[in-house]
């Protein structure tokens, strides 16, 4: 029998599973009516006897949190337990005033499900499309936040304690840091698109632990044995970049252990240190921690039959489905569809613009209109917005005005240079484009007599270049037309200008 000990040069594959905690976008906390406040709120300003765990208080489940968790579970194609319940997970820590966390144990909100994710191909170790299965999704309350002072004292801010969380656990279905990142980004898109969570890793309302282990494979990439080896659970990951870096670090560390014939014998928990770029040992797991789970006696089991029917009725479109629809219906390229569907505000705005453009144009929305909309929206407008620090949610340009702007370009009522000026003014004050064009004289001049005057003027003041063009130096024409454009402040119709310039110079 083949044994790992006798393989000198061993090929390994990386096995990755993720555990994600995401704060649900509710007004109040999970089991009391305290407001869910931002991390920046004054410490202990949103607390009450229930979330402080005072004796004699009764928790009441926030049904909005249950509904949001259910939406996430449906998007993941999980099997929902219509009869669900809460359990107590017992452990002692200063950030947990009750001495237990109300969570869900054997009847979570949902089990199973899957997500199909496209992986941007930037690594040979990644597959193009991956299918990640889910273990479960359960609801629970967040713990409070500990901070440590400079002279050894510690503080607890209970504002976060009791915040509704959905914990999502995947199966170990990812094989590279790039795959893990692509999966988490797609999950974040879904959580945002469906208004389930703000899902901002930097703000801590999307937190991710990565379980990483390795196993030997043969020359064809087939695992020598399907057994999973003891894993490392990496905590404190607070950005997509750290997720990738932390897994890369673990691959190096664990490969080294395998290479020296000492693969990890026990599972362990390690913390990611972003500054040092390393994971540090926190504890070795001797066995599964004993949390002495038991059913929460203060909350009766929930019957979610009618809620499930109503949430299911509001069928929701997932980002991947929306991308495919934009490509098919609106002639958008795959790359642009990806950019547009990455932000809910932008995709809503884009769809409104498309529908308004339909009204403004005297023909159905076609690929030419699509190119104008995406080009001006994603590069020109987005570029100006970046400079001015405007985002899609606060943009002053209404969809109707942007559509009219697209019509002005489509009907060649202005030149490219002046269109950009109009757009800048629209961004500034939200005025409608035709008004800006008329008031500031930014339209296109196609009056031939007027352009002819400018052509003659330019020839007169640039006799050398005019002679060169006459002598056959074709490229100099661009310069001469440019001079006419300049003299007309960008308004002269370039096609008419070229025609008149050629006629006047006899070419
Ligand atoms: Zn409270
Ligand atoms: Mn948890």
């Amino acid at each position: 029998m083949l044994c790992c000990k006798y393989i000198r040069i061993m090929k390994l594959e990386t096995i990755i599973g993720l555990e994600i905690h995401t704060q649900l976008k509710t007004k109040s906390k999970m089991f009391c009516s305290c407001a869910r406040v931002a991390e920046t709120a004054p410490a202990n300003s949103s607390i009450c006897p229930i979330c402080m765990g005072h004796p004699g208080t009764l928790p009441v489940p926030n049904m909005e949190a249950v509904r949001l968790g259910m939406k996430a579970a449906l998007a993941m194609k999980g099997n929902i337990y219509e009869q669900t319940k809460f359990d107590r997970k017992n452990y002692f820590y200063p950030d947990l005033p009750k001495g237990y966390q109300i969570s869900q144990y054997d009847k979570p909100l949902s089990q199973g499900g899957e997500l199909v994710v496209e992986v941007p191909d930037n690594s040979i170790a990644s597959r193009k499309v991956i299918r990640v299965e889910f273990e479960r999704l359960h609801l629970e309350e967040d713990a409070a936040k500990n901070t440590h002072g400079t002279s050894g004292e510690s503080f607890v801010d209970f504002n976060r304690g009791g915040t509704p969380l959905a914990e999502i656990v995947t199966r170990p279905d990812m094989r590279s840091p790039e795959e893990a990142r692509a999966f988490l980004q797609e999950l974040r898109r879904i959580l945002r698109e469906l208004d389930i969570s703000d899902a901002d890793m930097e703000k801590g309302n999307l937190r991710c632990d990565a379980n990483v282990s390795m196993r030997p494979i043969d020359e064809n990439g087939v695992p020598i044995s399907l057994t999973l080896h003891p894993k490392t659970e990496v905590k404190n990951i607070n950005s997509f970049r750290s997720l990738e870096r932390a897994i890369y670090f673990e691959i190096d560390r664990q490969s080294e252990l395998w290479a020296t014939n000492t693969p990890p014998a026990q599972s362990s928990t390690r913390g990611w240190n972003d500054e040092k770029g390393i994971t540090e040992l926190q504890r070795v797991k001797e066995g599964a921690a004993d949390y002495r789970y038991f059913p929460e006696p203060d909350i009766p089991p929930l019957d979610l039959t009618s809620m499930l029917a109503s949430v299911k009725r509001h069928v929701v479109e997932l980002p991947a489905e929306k991308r495919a629809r934009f490509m098919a219906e609106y002639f958008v390229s795959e790359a642009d569809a990806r950019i547009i569907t990455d932000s809910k505000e932008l995709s809503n705005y884009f769809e409104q613009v498309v529908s308004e453009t339909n009204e403004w144009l005297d023909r159905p929305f076609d690929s030419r209109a699509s190119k104008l909309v995406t080009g001006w929206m994603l590069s020109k407008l987005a570029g100006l917005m970046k400079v001015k620090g405007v985002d899609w949610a606060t943009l002053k340009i209404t969809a109707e005005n942007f559509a009219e702007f697209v019509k002005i370009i489509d009907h060649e009522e202005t030149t490219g240079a002046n269109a950009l000026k109009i757009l800048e003014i629209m961004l500034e004050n939200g005025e409608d484009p035709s008004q800006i064009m008329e008031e500031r004289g930014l339209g296109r001049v196609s009056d031939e007599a007027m352009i002819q005057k400018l052509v003659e003027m330019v020839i007169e003041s640039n006799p050398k270049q005019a002679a060169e063009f006459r002598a056959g130096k074709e490229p100099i024409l661009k310069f001469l037309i440019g001079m006419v454009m300049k003299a007309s402040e960008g308004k002269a119709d370039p096609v008419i200008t070229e025609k008149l310039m050629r006629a006047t110079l006899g070419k």
Side-chain angles (χ1 to χ4, degrees), residues 65 81 258 288 353 462:
Y81 272 108
W258 280 92
V353 168
N462 299 277

Side-chain angles (χ1 to χ4, degrees), residues 45-201:
S45 57
S46 188
I47 58 173
C48 75
I50 297 173
C51 55
M52 291 300 290
H54 288 194
T57 55
L58 275 181
V60 176
N62 180 340
M63 293 315 279
E64 177 60 9
V66 178
R67 199 181 63 82
L68 293 177
M70 188 182 274
K71 262 170 102 175
L74 283 174
M76 288 158 37
K77 303 187 174 66
N79 303 304
I80 308 239
Y81 272 108
E82 291 177 36
Q83 317 292 326
T84 192
K85 70 175 174 72
F86 288 98
D87 301 273
R88 288 188 182 178
K89 179 182 180 179
N90 297 280
Y91 66 95
F92 180 76
Y93 205 65
D95 62 9
L96 200 64
K98 295 194 289 285
Y100 58 85
Q101 178 191 33
I102 305 181
S103 180
Q104 295 191 288
Y105 185 52
D106 54 344
K107 277 191 178 174
L109 185 58
S110 119
Q111 277 189 315
E114 59 165 38
L115 188 60
V116 175
V117 179
E118 287 171 50
V119 184
D121 48 351
N122 48 11
S123 155
I124 35 163
S126 299
R127 296 163 288 174
K128 202 156 171 43
V129 174
I130 57 169
R131 209 175 125 255
V132 178
E133 291 187 4
F134 292 100
E135 204 67 63
R136 58 193 269 139
L137 179 153
H138 68 250
L139 300 168
E140 59 185 28
E141 54 180 338
D142 209 344
K145 198 171 181 184
N146 295 338
T147 44
H148 306 285
T150 43
S151 42
E153 72 276 47
S154 289
F155 304 96
V156 190
D157 176 2
F158 288 96
N159 283 349
R160 198 180 71 181
T163 299
L165 290 179
E167 178 175 332
I168 299 168
V169 184
T170 78
R171 298 230 164 103
D173 288 343
M174 286 151 276
R175 294 288 176 270
S176 70
E178 289 80 10
E179 290 184 8
R181 181 193 186 127
F183 164 82
L184 191 60
Q185 283 178 326
E186 185 70 6
L187 184 69
R188 181 183 64 168
R189 259 181 225 119
I190 292 173
L191 294 171
R192 288 187 172 169
E193 179 77 20
L194 303 184
D195 245 334
I196 294 165
S197 172
D198 289 324
D200 192 333
M201 288 190 89

Side-chain angles (χ1 to χ4, degrees), residues 9 26 85 150 220 246 268 273 298 301 372 380 400:
I9 305 161
T26 53
K85 70 175 174 72
T150 43
N220 304 315
S268 59
N273 184 324
D298 290 337
L372 285 176
K380 305 272 177 18
E400 197 198 343

Side-chain angles (χ1 to χ4, degrees), residues 330-333 336 340 350 369-380 402:
Y330 305 143
F331 313 96
V332 175
S333 73
D336 285 348
I340 296 168
F350 176 81
S370 173
K371 279 206 184 73
L372 285 176
V373 171
T374 51
W376 282 92
M377 190 182 286
L378 303 182
S379 61
K380 305 272 177 18
F402 193 85

Side-chain angles (χ1 to χ4, degrees), residues 485-500:
M485 295 300 287
K486 206 173 159 195
S488 73
E489 292 173 320
K491 282 181 279 192
D493 183 314
V495 177
I496 296 173
T497 306
E498 180 173 346
K499 188 188 80 183
L500 296 178

